[in-house]
Amino acid sequence: MARRELSDDDWALVEPLLPIGGYGPYPRRLRDQFEGVVWRFRTGSQWREVPEEFGSWSTVYDRFRQWRDAGVFQALMGH
């Protein structure tokens, strides 16, 4: 089980903002991948240093790019 960077309440705010379908089927580990992005920016680590418990670093990075391009992080800043 992956460590949690977000509380369940925080995740409840984030999850509806994540695009689904435009980037393929709903991923089983969406929360883990998002929390991997949070971990990466919280620690200042390189993408390749993201712990495997969040998914492969390349998948976490790909999700970050998709969410960035979809404006997810801008929307989160507006909440």
Side-chain angles (χ1 to χ4, degrees), residues 35-70:
E35 295 202 35
V37 171
V38 172
W39 181 92
R40 190 270 181 194
F41 284 102
R42 183 180 56 77
T43 64
S45 299
Q46 296 179 11
W47 286 106
R48 291 180 184 263
E49 296 172 340
V50 172
E52 186 67 30
E53 64 195 77
F54 297 117
S56 72
W57 73 267
S58 59
T59 299
V60 174
Y61 174 70
D62 287 344
R63 289 282 174 214
F64 162 73
R65 282 190 356 212
Q66 292 166 349
W67 295 329
R68 177 199 63 201
D69 294 348

Side-chain angles (χ1 to χ4, degrees), residues 7-27:
S7 70
D8 289 341
D9 290 339
D10 291 338
W11 178 243
L13 293 173
V14 171
E15 187 177 23
L17 298 175
L18 300 179
I20 301 170
Y23 302 107
Y26 191 84

